[in-house]
Amino acid sequence: MEASKVIHAIYTDDDVLMNAVKTVKAEKHHIEEIYTPFPVHGLDKAMGLAPTRIAITSFLYGCVGLTVAIVMMNFIMIEDWPQNIGGKPSFSYIENMPAFVPIMFELTVFFAAHLMVITFYLRSKMWPFKKAENPDPRTTDDHFLMEIAVHGNENELTNLLQKTGAVEVNIIDKEDEH
Amino acid sequence: MYTFSNKLKTFSIALMILGLLGVGYGFMTSHKSFEDVETILAEEAHHGGGHGEETAHAVTEKAHDTHATENTHATETVSHVDEHKKHVEHVQHQIANRPWAALYVAAFFFMMIALGVLAFYAVQWASQSGWSPVLFRVMEGITAYLLPGALIVLAIAVASGTIGHYNIFVWMDPEVVAHDKLIQGKSGWLNTWGFAIRGLIFIAGWVLYRQFSRKFSIAQDNANDNKNFKKTFRISAAFLVFFLYTESMMSWDWIMSVDPHWFSTLFGWYVLAGMMVCGITVIAFISLYLKSKGYLELVNDSHLHDLAKFMFGFSIFWAYLWFSQFMLIWYANIPEEVTYFVTRINDYRLPFFGMLVLNLVFPFLVLMNSDYKRIPWFVVMAGIVILIGHYIDIFNMIMPATVGDRWFIGIPELGALSLFAGLFIYVVFNALTKAPLLAKRNPFVKESEHFHY
């Protein structure tokens, strides 16, 4: 069930934030989200987020690109119209392969890079004209915000977060967008 | 302080003795008389393995047909005998070259490991990298092999033209030069004296840098300021400039000139890429060995990860240069350059293309995964493949020019490999005992100890 109330703890320092995350995790509260103005090294580990698999997708896309390059040039240069161009051997793919390697390489990189970027956009739900999901504009400048779901334990959570060095702790009624 | 274990010492000495026996056997069995070679060739022709003999004869026969009307039978027989004699002498020479070339390939291979490590070491200093100072003493240990190793390579090269019968470099043979306009044109560079003097200058420059960087590095351990560090930084930058010029010239002299009719502009970088991969692989091997013995507690899996990344990156860089050299020559197909690859593809098909699998495909697939780069046995396995691949790479550079299609990886090759492996282990681990394994007061060593990726 989606919590209707969330608590927003705001920090001004990434070290304080890291310690707060560890404390909150140790108290076994579920952190919904953390908003930071820049990548905080080690935050994903502290939060216990699963490692990304985007590199694996990239490798697979690279394999696709290589296949596309090989199939395309094998069809065009060897099967469809094996012309003699400057004495290059067009009898089989392997015989003329060195000439195709630059294209094979570039298409591998092209597919690996572009499809991985598109995958990243899809997975992180990013596109032009997307409505920004930012609870507090200060988090894009110099504040860090930790969002925790409230399950009737408001006071306990507020005390805990204040102890971790939060400069502001707000309880927010969340309009359910999901 | 590291102590050279008796086991390892015995092992290295055993390798050297075995190697010497193998090398000795190679030299003993390579002196074939004219008649011996004739029988070998006849036997090969009989088994259908003869290639040159039959073709050579067929060509002579054809020539005879066209000139039959003009020439007397007497001269025909003479020219026939001449062709036959030439061929047998050619093969005799190739057989005699084999132990020399085998020795030279192995000597160069181990020298190039030390030289690659020295260049990598200088780069670490010049770039003030924060991850590597805990490995500096390992690198310094490996570069201790450079002085004996490089002198041995140069000595074998010069000896092949003075003691031997021009067994590696044909341009050392005044007979050959007298009949070869192309080599005559290059004799301003390719002459034995110039070769020896240039070689000594290269070695002197490298070894000087090695001695001084090592001296300052050890002095820094007990210093109160960073004067030694700054000095090493400066000489490292200067050395890198010197190294890039001399390494290029060294590769022309010591490798490219085995084919004195052939030239390639990116050859020096190609050799450089190979020596960097091997050097970094050996750094990883020795660090892992010392760590497993409990001497390098501060080296963690992040250091290994970085080394493995360099192995991966330089493998691809090597392949990039290999391909750039091959593809440009293949594409343009200019006869004077392309023979280099024609002989290699015809006579060395398996080592020539097999080496690509070992040096590119295998490390590319194996070392791509970030997690695998932290697993010692995985890196060791990939490293062994890389080292074998680069030995074959050097083999492919030297052998076609010296023994031609009479190559084999047999007792002379393995013997030479074992001899220099033993010497390398002995010198390197001996040098490792001479100084503490941690560069204590290096300004970056704290960062390096806590390095994590």
Side-chain angles (χ1 to χ4, degrees):
Chain A
M1 199 194 92
E2 194 65 37
S4 56
K5 265 186 180 174
V6 291
I7 196 157
H8 280 176
I10 295 177
Y11 299 86
T12 48
D13 188 286
D14 49 340
D15 284 335
V16 179
L17 174 76
M18 283 295 282
N19 286 327
V21 170
K22 281 169 197 157
T23 321
V24 172
K25 286 300 275 186
E27 296 286 326
K28 300 246 187 299
H29 293 292
H30 177 67
I31 299 172
E32 292 270 301
E33 193 65 85
I34 292 180
Y35 298 86
T36 65
F38 53 77
V40 177
H41 189 73
L43 187 61
D44 52 339
K45 276 220 178 74
M47 287 172 74
L49 298 181
T52 173
R53 287 169 297 184
I54 201 148
I56 300 170
T57 67
S58 179
F59 177 75
L60 296 175
Y61 296 145
C63 295
V64 173
L66 184 63
T67 314
V68 167
I70 293 172
V71 171
M72 175 181 82
M73 283 180 299
N74 185 46
F75 177 72
I76 297 173
M77 303 301 289
I78 309 296
E79 283 174 9
D80 190 36
W81 195 0
Q83 258 195 124
N84 182 342
I85 303 166
K88 284 281 157 282
S90 52
F91 309 109
S92 73
Y93 190 76
I94 199 76
E95 270 182 290
N96 209 1
M97 198 185 73
F100 302 144
V101 167
I103 299 162
M104 286 155 66
F105 171 78
E106 292 295 347
L107 276 182
T108 308
V109 174
F110 178 87
F111 273 65
H114 288 82
L115 291 180
M116 178 178 78
V117 167
I118 293 168
T119 308
F120 169 72
Y121 286 152
L122 291 175
R123 285 294 287 143
S124 35
K125 303 194 181 70
M126 274 165 48
W127 59 87
F129 313 114
K130 157 152 176 137
K131 193 172 169 291
E133 297 168 2
N134 196 347
D136 191 322
R138 287 176 298 172
T139 59
T140 62
D141 182 13
D142 59 350
H143 284 59
F144 303 81
L145 190 149
M146 189 196 300
E147 185 178 291
I148 300 171
V150 179
H151 300 284
N153 49 356
E154 293 172 29
N155 291 335
E156 183 206 336
L157 260 178
T158 316
N159 286 338
L160 176 72
L161 290 171
Q162 244 140 19
K163 253 187 264 164
T164 59
V167 291
E168 255 177 58
V169 178
N170 307 318
I171 294 166
I172 310 275
D173 283 311
K174 206 172 184 182
E175 309 108 62
D176 210 345
E177 307 159 17
H178 301 279
Chain B
M1 288 291 269
Y2 171 70
T3 42
F4 196 173
S5 74
N6 271 329
K7 239 188 189 166
L8 195 62
K9 199 180 268 177
T10 325
F11 174 66
S12 68
I13 291 169
L15 274 180
M16 278 189 268
I17 292 170
L18 272 178
L20 269 179
L21 290 175
V23 170
Y25 173 81
F27 277 100
M28 305 283 271
T29 51
S30 66
H31 285 291
K32 297 264 189 265
S33 69
F34 191 87
E35 288 73 31
D36 287 342
V37 178
E38 256 182 335
T39 8
I40 292 171
L41 286 173
E43 244 166 58
E44 278 174 356
H46 191 66
H47 290 299
H51 39 277
E53 186 77 344
E54 279 159 327
T55 21
H57 282 213
V59 169
T60 2
E61 235 73 74
K62 237 191 225 158
H64 288 187
D65 287 346
T66 49
H67 295 284
T69 45
E70 298 151 44
N71 293 344
T72 64
H73 277 273
T75 49
E76 267 173 46
T77 340
V78 168
S79 82
H80 192 281
V81 168
D82 256 13
E83 281 297 318
H84 174 73
K85 187 165 166 267
K86 254 191 186 164
H87 181 223
V88 173
E89 272 170 358
H90 174 68
V91 172
Q92 192 184 7
H93 195 56
Q94 285 183 333
I95 292 173
N97 287 347
R98 190 173 155 202
W100 283 95
L103 198 63
Y104 190 69
V105 169
F108 188 88
F109 178 68
F110 283 98
M111 187 285 290
M112 113 178 165
I113 291 172
L115 189 55
V117 171
L118 190 67
F120 188 68
Y121 177 76
V123 170
Q124 299 305 309
W125 277 95
S127 62
Q128 304 196 8
S129 63
W131 69 278
S132 51
V134 293
L135 298 171
F136 275 178
R137 288 291 146 79
V138 176
M139 298 187 206
E140 286 163 17
I142 298 171
T143 54
Y145 181 75
L146 185 61
L147 177 61
L151 284 178
I152 290 170
V153 172
L154 189 64
I156 297 172
V158 172
S160 77
T162 48
I163 304 169
H165 198 76
Y166 317 109
N167 294 89
I168 302 174
F169 301 97
V170 283
W171 54 262
M172 285 184 180
D173 188 348
E175 272 287 301
V176 171
V177 178
H179 297 104
D180 194 321
K181 273 244 155 61
L182 288 173
I183 301 182
Q184 280 165 23
K186 296 179 182 183
S187 60
W189 181 273
L190 291 181
N191 55 74
T192 312
W193 274 107
F195 180 90
I197 292 167
R198 276 193 308 275
L200 287 175
I201 293 172
F202 305 155
I203 296 171
W206 304 335
V207 169
L208 267 180
Y209 167 70
R210 196 264 160 190
Q211 294 305 330
F212 278 102
S213 61
R214 165 84 163 174
K215 196 179 125 198
F216 296 150
S217 168
I218 288 172
Q220 179 70 20
D221 275 3
N222 302 312
N224 302 314
D225 52 13
N226 290 333
K227 227 167 45 205
N228 294 299
F229 171 79
K230 286 178 190 159
K231 274 196 248 173
T232 323
F233 173 73
R234 280 196 210 108
I235 60 170
S236 299
F239 166 73
L240 284 171
V241 176
F242 175 81
F243 172 76
L244 276 176
Y245 283 102
T246 50
E247 188 275 335
S248 232
M249 287 191 257
M250 177 277 282
S251 70
W252 308 336
D253 268 359
W254 296 4
I255 298 186
M256 200 160 82
S257 78
V258 295
D259 288 291
H261 285 182
W262 182 77
F263 46 85
S264 164
T265 22
L266 58 67
F267 197 76
W269 313 325
Y270 170 63
V271 174
L272 172 75
M275 67 172 61
M276 292 298 273
V277 189
C278 294
I280 292 162
T281 307
V282 171
I283 296 174
F285 277 9
I286 293 182
S287 315
L288 282 172
Y289 172 79
L290 291 174
K291 191 175 161 59
S292 76
K293 296 280 169 202
Y295 287 106
L296 286 174
E297 298 103 36
L298 293 164
V299 174
N300 56 39
D301 60 356
S302 292
H303 293 108
L304 181 64
H305 190 168
D306 263 29
L307 287 170
K309 274 192 280 190
F310 274 114
M311 282 158 68
F312 176 75
F314 273 109
S315 285
I316 292 170
F317 179 59
W318 173 88
Y320 165 67
L321 291 176
W322 178 86
F323 183 71
S324 301
Q325 180 171 279
F326 173 73
M327 195 259 235
L328 283 180
I329 291 173
W330 172 86
Y331 214 123
N333 206 16
I334 297 169
E336 75 172 318
E337 292 175 353
V338 86
T339 48
Y340 185 82
F341 288 114
V342 170
T343 50
R344 275 158 185 79
I345 291 172
N346 286 342
D347 299 337
Y348 290 74
R349 184 159 297 205
L350 180 66
F352 188 71
F353 291 111
M355 147 190 112
L356 269 188
V357 177
L358 298 179
N359 289 344
L360 171 67
V361 180
F362 192 84
F364 181 77
L365 294 175
V366 165
L367 291 177
M368 184 157 8
N369 190 313
S370 177
D371 297 330
Y372 293 169
K373 287 200 275 272
R374 299 158 165 272
I375 304 171
W377 69 265
F378 221 89
V379 175
V380 169
M381 188 185 67
I384 290 171
V385 173
I386 290 174
L387 287 182
I388 293 173
H390 283 280
Y391 171 77
I392 297 175
D393 183 23
I394 306 294
F395 187 86
N396 279 337
M397 293 187 208
I398 302 290
M399 287 297 180
T402 48
V403 303
D405 58 354
R406 309 236 141 230
W407 68 274
F408 192 71
I409 298 189
I411 291 172
E413 286 78 12
L414 296 177
L417 207 52
S418 149
L419 169 65
F420 289 109
L423 188 65
F424 183 83
I425 293 172
Y426 187 83
V427 172
V428 169
F429 283 89
N430 208 31
L432 285 171
T433 61
K434 295 286 194 298
L437 285 180
L438 180 66
K440 245 186 296 161
R441 271 202 80 263
N442 186 301
F444 291 106
V445 81
K446 271 279 164 298
E447 184 181 340
S448 180
E449 285 168 21
H450 299 290
F451 175 69
H452 78 102
Y453 160 75

